[in-house]
Amino acid sequence: RRARTPRADDLLQWQDVSGSNTDTAPAVQPFTARPGVALNLTECETPLHFFSVFMDDTAWNFLVEHTNQYAAVKLAAAPQSRRSLYSNWRDVTMDEMKAFVGVILNMGVVQLPDIRDYWRQDETVNLPFFRSIFSRDRFLQIFRLLHVGDIPSPNRPSKIEPWLQLLLPKFQRAFIPSKHVAVDESVITFKGR
């Protein structure tokens, strides 16, 4: 005779837990931190000093190394024609990476419909600042090969995970949230109706 397999109804039944001590609240640690900015702001004389708290040499080297590694792998995988944007690729330096980020930040201030418009020289759009920092092709090389993750990256979130792990402790040292923090529901993914 075979044993009867339990049905889902047999396994999922309500049980009376009144009077039992099975559900205990976790111990709450007292909040002793002093919330707010944890930086010595007197050392941050300019916006660049403040930016450097997060983007120190470690962060810049990280960007340079990961971008150069990615470029080496990407360009070795497919031969480049002489007319290719990448035919004259050379490794990015730290100074170039700093200039690149500076150009990106300026593009946020001066917004144009197409990235190539920043290098146009016609009467309607003529922004010599961008041309004085990079040639269009060099900027596009770095822009398209910029990388902040391990190679290969198994999924989209892992592409930026190493970068976030580098920056997170810096953010945590810079600001301590208060005891009560509200998370806006738009920050949390919701797949319902």
Side-chain angles (χ1 to χ4, degrees):
R1 204 176 204 195
R2 288 187 341 185
R4 182 174 81 86
T5 305
R7 295 185 343 213
D9 293 344
D10 297 336
L11 299 173
L12 303 173
Q13 293 184 5
W14 288 99
Q15 295 179 2
D16 183 15
V17 292
S18 59
S20 70
N21 225 0
T22 58
D23 274 350
T24 57
V28 177
Q29 300 296 320
F31 184 79
T32 58
R34 184 174 168 192
V37 177
L39 296 174
N40 182 358
L41 294 177
T42 58
E43 294 175 5
C44 297
E45 299 170 359
T46 66
L48 182 58
H49 286 133
F50 187 76
F51 186 70
S52 297
V53 169
F54 306 103
M55 288 300 296
D56 57 7
D57 283 348
T58 304
W60 290 115
N61 282 324
F62 182 95
L63 283 176
V64 168
E65 288 173 16
H66 280 75
T67 298
N68 288 336
Q69 287 172 0
Y70 180 69
V73 169
K74 187 84 169 168
L75 300 178
Q80 304 299 317
S81 72
R82 284 190 13 229
R83 294 176 42 182
S84 167
L85 177 66
Y86 308 110
S87 63
N88 64 347
W89 169 262
R90 64 184 185 285
D91 281 354
V92 179
T93 65
M94 187 186 300
D95 287 339
E96 268 188 312
M97 189 59 75
K98 289 179 179 181
F100 176 80
V101 170
V103 167
I104 291 288
L105 292 173
N106 274 285
M107 287 178 170
V109 175
V110 180
Q111 296 183 4
L112 295 175
D114 188 278
I115 201 163
R116 288 182 170 86
D117 290 344
Y118 292 96
W119 283 268
R120 286 177 46 191
Q121 295 184 35
D122 60 7
E123 292 176 11
T124 58
V125 180
N126 188 359
L127 302 168
F129 166 77
F130 296 97
R131 289 190 309 275
S132 71
I133 305 296
F134 281 110
S135 71
R136 182 195 66 202
D137 288 350
R138 181 59 176 163
F139 177 84
L140 290 174
Q141 284 178 341
I142 299 170
F143 184 75
R144 292 182 182 162
L145 294 174
L146 181 69
H147 208 73
V148 295
D150 295 328
I151 305 166
S153 299
N155 54 42
R156 291 186 80 105
S158 70
K159 287 184 176 187
I160 62 167
E161 185 68 26
W163 178 244
L164 294 178
Q165 293 304 317
L166 176 77
L167 293 180
L168 185 62
K170 296 174 186 192
F171 296 148
Q172 289 172 333
R173 283 191 304 269
F175 184 79
I176 299 169
S178 65
K179 181 178 180 179
H180 303 287
V181 177
V183 178
D184 188 281
E185 60 272 0
S186 65
V187 174
I188 302 168
T189 57
F190 176 69
K191 296 188 179 182
R193 287 194 232 178

